[in-house]
Amino acid sequence: MSHQPVVATKTSGEMDKPLISRRLVDSDGSLAEAPSEAPKVGILGSGDFARSLTTRLVGSGFGVVVGSRNPKRMAGLFPSAAQVTFQEEAVGSPEVIFVAMFREHYSSLCSLSSQLAGKILVDVSNPTEQEHLQHRESNAEYLASLFPTCSVVKAFNVISAWTLQSGPRDGNRQVPICSDQPEAKHTVSEMVHAMGFTPVDMGSLVSAREVEAMPLRLLPGWKVPALLTLGLLVFFYAYNFVRDVLHPYLQEGKNKFYKLPVSVVNTTLPCVAYVLLSLVYLPGVLAAALQLRRGTKYRRFPDWLDHWLQHRKQIGLLSFFCAALHALYSFCLPLRRSHRYDLVNLAVKQVLANKSHLWVEEEVWRMEIYVSLGVLALGTLSLLAVTSLPSIANSLNWREFSFVQSTLGFVALVLSTLHTLTYGWTRAFEESRYKFYLPPTFTLTLLVPCVVILARGLFLLPCVSRRLSKIRRGWEKDGAIKFTLPMDHTLAQKTSHV
């Protein structure tokens, strides 16, 4: 059975407006008929999501008929423009019916199978994590098995009830859609457009299991960067604890455990931020080196490098986060009671030593340059973080985005390196700075960034730069271009190219 496309009557500009208003939300409890000229849509269910979906559909120009087991009690919770009735009556006229019910309640609809025959059923449900692991088939596939004469479409499960009410500006616009019936999928896609969202074709109904797993994932792209950041935090915090707290306590009997909450943390944060920033640009250096060695850009990078390249944005944002925390902690240092005591003790020592003027020109200049470079580095990192936002990145063309993320990112790395070097100054060459034979912390952080900067410098040499440019434009050293596609289709979609 063919289905006519459903077309909404409102413009896309109106779809961006919030739909929460007294005109739509307030209801007098009556079962008012929707306008006859509006395309009718049915909804089975009367929960929170069903109410938000009704609000959005009504505001988008659709006539909505809600099927409930207790319509008189639930009518007051729905917009007055929607018709709330029994389930048997709700599935009569609409060709598209949203099933806003839990999986265990699907079987209660079997009594309506004759009335639902030939209609489009849109499954909006989401399983729990336990249910997703327990059932081999998705909720949408299970619904399709119960109603073989219907066209089942999986959609709207990644959209929250709040996003439906407030509009797509406050949430993700993309709505993954999958179905075995192309006409049904097209009809639902038109409805998605009319509601102000963007449909994303995910293929057949087999993909419904993957679509239902999307809301169950908690920041999947941030897991590895977060673990990396946590590991660096633990390592540098323990390293600084041994040098700045444990060593004075064991060697000199001084109790400096008060440094743990602020001072040691503030020493750790810039180390982590600096190393993370260098790890953003190190995979690009390795990728360029591989391309130079292979003489082609048409061979896939190793999986570990490919995944590393994909996580650069998250690593960069975490670097900025640690750098921002370091700046805040640095502003708080003079507020500590211990800092005030140190100033008083220094003044007393100066008086006892009969010194009226304490001024070290070299230290003054070092600190001025150190602070200035730190501010410049943080400002550049802030610019990188802002341009990583989708709303900003989408307004830039490829050349502008590449300039900000690559060129300015490298400038931020250089400024951070100079900031670190002015902090260390000559401390790396002073024997007293090696506690338990451990070198100062800043010397450890310089290793990776210096490798990246030196490598980028080598790539700027004309002989290397020209060859790399030719390779990235399609040249191969053997003169034959060979395309090798990954065997796994999902892996092919995740492949990064530099």
Side-chain angles (χ1 to χ4, degrees):
M1 177 178 179
S2 62
H3 304 285
Q4 295 297 324
V6 180
V7 182
T9 59
K10 291 208 173 185
T11 61
S12 59
E14 292 174 317
M15 295 305 98
D16 290 336
K17 299 178 181 179
L19 296 179
I20 301 179
S21 65
R22 293 187 61 83
R23 182 179 64 83
L24 293 180
V25 176
D26 288 355
S27 176
D28 57 3
S30 62
L31 308 182
E33 288 285 338
S36 58
E37 66 274 8
K40 278 199 173 183
V41 178
I43 297 179
L44 295 177
S46 53
D48 293 338
F49 191 86
R51 293 195 292 270
S52 300
L53 183 61
T54 302
T55 303
R56 191 73 196 165
L57 286 168
V58 169
S60 301
F62 293 94
V64 181
V65 184
V66 180
S68 174
R69 289 174 293 183
N70 194 337
K72 290 185 178 180
R73 187 180 68 177
M74 305 304 298
L77 301 176
F78 285 84
S80 57
Q83 178 185 357
V84 183
T85 182
F86 291 99
Q87 292 180 346
E88 295 80 2
E89 300 175 12
V91 299
S93 56
E95 288 297 316
V96 179
I97 299 172
F98 288 83
V99 182
M101 305 169 64
F102 291 109
R103 178 189 178 113
E104 55 265 27
H105 298 152
Y106 286 174
S107 56
S108 65
L109 302 176
C110 291
S111 59
L112 307 175
S113 56
S114 59
Q115 296 172 263
L116 293 172
K119 297 183 181 294
I120 300 175
L121 300 183
V122 184
D123 177 37
V124 299
S125 67
N126 276 320
T128 63
E129 194 167 351
Q130 183 178 0
E131 291 172 344
H132 184 70
L133 297 174
Q134 180 181 355
H135 301 295
R136 292 186 177 180
E137 61 180 356
S138 64
N139 290 357
E141 291 174 304
Y142 175 62
L143 183 64
S145 67
L146 294 178
F147 301 96
T149 58
C150 298
S151 301
V152 176
V153 180
K154 185 71 184 183
F156 288 101
N157 67 302
V158 301
I159 302 297
S160 66
W162 169 251
T163 302
L164 284 172
Q165 290 191 27
S166 59
R169 285 181 177 176
D170 295 330
N172 196 340
R173 286 180 175 269
Q174 293 186 342
V175 178
I177 299 176
C178 61
S179 176
D180 291 333
Q181 308 297 328
E183 291 185 3
K185 187 161 45 176
H186 177 70
T187 300
V188 176
S189 296
E190 287 190 337
M191 292 184 65
V192 172
H193 271 301
M195 295 167 69
F197 296 95
T198 304
V200 178
D201 192 346
M202 299 293 290
S204 65
L205 202 61
V206 178
S207 303
R209 183 171 176 83
E210 179 184 351
V211 174
E212 291 177 2
M214 291 179 180
L216 300 177
R217 300 168 185 162
L218 180 61
L219 303 175
W222 290 84
K223 183 177 181 180
V224 173
L227 290 176
L228 174 64
T229 304
L230 181 61
L232 289 173
L233 281 170
V234 171
F235 170 76
F236 281 112
Y237 188 86
Y239 192 87
N240 289 323
F241 167 74
V242 171
R243 284 180 42 83
D244 300 339
V245 178
L246 191 60
H247 181 272
Y249 181 75
L250 296 179
Q251 297 295 325
E252 304 172 22
K254 295 181 179 179
N255 186 352
K256 293 191 176 184
F257 285 89
Y258 66 89
K259 290 187 173 183
L260 291 177
V262 178
S263 182
V264 177
V265 173
N266 191 45
T267 308
T268 301
L269 286 171
C271 300
V272 177
Y274 187 35
V275 173
L276 286 176
L277 182 61
S278 64
L279 292 178
V280 172
Y281 296 97
L282 180 59
V285 169
L286 297 177
L290 274 177
Q291 290 177 341
L292 287 171
R293 180 184 178 186
R294 295 170 174 176
T296 179
K297 69 171 185 178
Y298 296 109
R299 289 178 59 185
R300 289 191 65 252
F301 299 128
D303 290 341
W304 60 269
L305 181 56
D306 196 57
H307 293 156
W308 192 351
L309 290 166
Q310 293 174 29
H311 288 110
R312 286 180 295 179
K313 175 182 176 180
Q314 291 85 346
I315 296 175
L317 289 175
L318 288 172
S319 172
F320 168 72
F321 175 70
C322 292
L325 286 181
H326 169 54
L328 292 176
Y329 268 90
S330 297
F331 279 120
C332 294
L333 288 179
L335 302 178
R336 298 175 305 153
R337 182 68 62 180
S338 58
H339 179 75
R340 299 178 186 180
Y341 287 153
D342 286 339
L343 288 179
V344 173
N345 292 335
L346 181 61
V348 170
K349 289 181 180 179
Q350 186 176 351
V351 172
L352 294 177
N354 197 21
K355 293 182 179 180
S356 59
H357 184 70
L358 184 61
W359 182 277
V360 181
E361 189 75 16
E362 180 182 346
E363 283 298 307
V364 171
W365 275 100
R366 182 185 72 84
M367 186 57 64
E368 295 291 325
I369 297 173
Y370 162 71
V371 173
S372 179
L373 289 171
V375 172
L376 290 174
L378 181 60
T380 311
L381 277 178
S382 303
L383 184 60
L384 294 175
V386 170
T387 54
S388 297
L389 298 174
S391 57
I392 304 298
N394 293 337
S395 65
L396 303 176
N397 60 38
W398 176 86
R399 188 173 183 179
E400 292 169 342
F401 184 79
S402 178
F403 171 78
V404 172
Q405 294 295 324
S406 180
T407 306
L408 288 186
F410 183 69
V411 170
L413 183 62
V414 173
L415 288 173
S416 301
T417 302
L418 295 176
H419 176 66
T420 306
L421 289 174
T422 52
Y423 168 79
W425 209 247
T426 59
R427 299 179 186 180
F429 308 104
E430 298 175 6
E431 185 178 353
S432 60
R433 299 291 179 176
Y434 288 78
K435 312 290 182 61
F436 290 134
Y437 302 101
L438 297 176
T441 312
F442 74 91
T443 59
L444 299 182
T445 62
L446 284 168
L447 295 177
V448 178
C450 288
V451 170
V452 174
I453 294 174
L454 289 175
R456 290 288 294 266
L458 290 175
F459 292 154
L460 293 177
L461 295 176
C463 57
V464 180
S465 178
R466 283 197 297 265
R467 181 179 176 88
L468 188 59
S469 178
K470 287 171 59 178
I471 291 174
R472 290 178 174 174
R473 292 175 64 88
W475 176 85
E476 288 192 307
K477 64 179 180 181
D478 57 2
I481 299 177
K482 301 176 182 179
F483 294 91
T484 304
L485 295 177
M487 298 298 294
D488 189 354
H489 177 66
T490 58
L491 191 61
Q493 293 179 334
K494 296 180 180 180
T495 304
S496 297
H497 299 282
V498 176

